Amino acid sequence: MSAKSTIGKEIFAPHDERMLGAVQVKRRTKKKIPFLATGGQGEYLTYICLSVTNKKPTQASITKVKQFEGSTSFVRRSQWMLEQLCQVNGIDPNRDSPEFDLLFENAFDQWVASTASEKCTFFQILHHTCQRYLTDKKPEFINCQSKILGGNSILHSAADSVTSAVQKASQALNERGERLGRAEEKTEELRNTAQQFAETAHKLAMKHKC
């Protein structure tokens, strides 16, 4: 089982939460921690996780999870409600970069993801979750590549496809209408010609009778 699957099972499932995504990170700037709950300083892995509650109304949160050296279990650390997230900074919109910043109402962290790809995936999930679950206050996404906000691109692409299909269907109907219109005009011409022929034949018949 992967580390992220284990985190979802050990950290979030017992609290009736579902983990949507996670990214393994390291601090870009060293932060001095004089004491840890485990009894002292030590090496550890850090994950930034995004989760939602299973119960309605759905609440989303961002949680810092750590795994200390020599341990197979994970520990829940800081947690923020998604509403507390003020800004997501992708650092460089012109290249794949693993660096990013998260600005909360009461905290600011500078991170480096394990890979730029992992950061991109996490940002896509985070952006989509913000759009889905936050109504009034949404965080600002700055210095992000367009593909990172891919959820909107997909929606726009789908919308464009639907619009194009509607336009093609409308054009086809118009062309069909024009063909039908021409056919009706032709039918009307034939009807008038037939009527004129009938009237002429009737006049000739009456004249011959006389």
Side-chain angles (χ1 to χ4, degrees):
M1 183 180 294
S2 68
K4 294 177 183 179
S5 298
T6 303
I7 291 173
K9 182 178 180 181
E10 291 185 1
I11 300 297
F12 297 102
H15 297 275
D16 200 22
E17 294 177 87
R18 177 166 51 94
M19 191 177 78
L20 302 179
V23 56
Q24 184 180 339
V25 296
K26 290 183 178 180
R27 291 188 180 277
R28 293 210 308 276
T29 56
K30 293 293 184 179
K31 185 176 182 180
K32 294 182 179 180
I33 305 177
F35 176 79
L36 294 176
T38 54
Q41 287 185 318
E43 295 296 326
Y44 55 84
L45 298 178
T46 302
Y47 296 84
I48 302 298
C49 307
L50 178 64
S51 64
V52 292
T53 58
N54 291 320
K55 293 182 178 179
K56 304 295 182 180
T58 303
Q59 293 184 321
S61 59
I62 295 177
T63 306
K64 188 188 303 180
V65 174
K66 293 185 178 183
Q67 182 184 35
F68 291 94
E69 186 178 23
S71 174
T72 58
S73 61
F74 295 86
V75 181
R76 182 192 296 253
R77 289 307 195 194
S78 306
Q79 185 175 47
W80 300 268
M81 300 305 297
L82 194 59
E83 291 87 349
Q84 295 178 286
L85 180 61
C86 301
Q87 186 184 86
V88 179
N89 189 342
I91 306 299
D92 193 336
N94 301 315
R95 67 181 180 88
D96 291 333
S97 169
E99 300 179 345
F100 67 95
D101 296 343
L102 296 180
L103 174 63
F104 296 93
E105 292 177 353
N106 59 352
F108 174 68
D109 285 319
Q110 297 177 309
W111 300 109
V112 179
S114 57
T115 65
S117 175
E118 189 176 6
K119 164 198 162 181
C120 179
T121 300
F122 180 75
F123 268 34
Q124 288 174 336
I125 297 172
L126 178 59
H127 183 265
H128 174 74
T129 304
C130 290
Q131 298 303 312
R132 180 176 182 181
Y133 294 109
L134 298 182
T135 53
D136 299 329
K137 181 183 177 183
K138 296 179 181 180
E140 179 185 21
F141 282 74
I142 64 173
N143 299 321
C144 294
Q145 293 177 289
S146 57
K147 66 179 181 179
I148 284 180
L149 310 182
N152 278 347
S153 298
I154 293 172
L155 291 177
H156 289 322
S157 177
D160 291 342
S161 298
V162 172
T163 300
S164 177
V166 170
Q167 290 175 343
K168 289 180 180 178
S170 177
Q171 183 179 358
L173 287 174
N174 289 336
E175 292 175 353
R176 182 179 179 185
E178 291 176 359
R179 290 196 298 270
L180 289 174
R182 290 194 294 269
E184 289 177 355
E185 291 176 358
K186 191 66 176 179
T187 301
E188 186 64 24
E189 290 177 3
L190 292 173
R191 188 182 296 112
N192 292 335
T193 300
Q195 186 175 355
Q196 291 174 0
F197 179 80
E199 291 175 353
T200 301
H202 179 70
K203 289 179 181 178
L204 291 174
M206 292 298 294
K207 184 176 180 181
H208 180 72
K209 182 182 288 189
C210 295

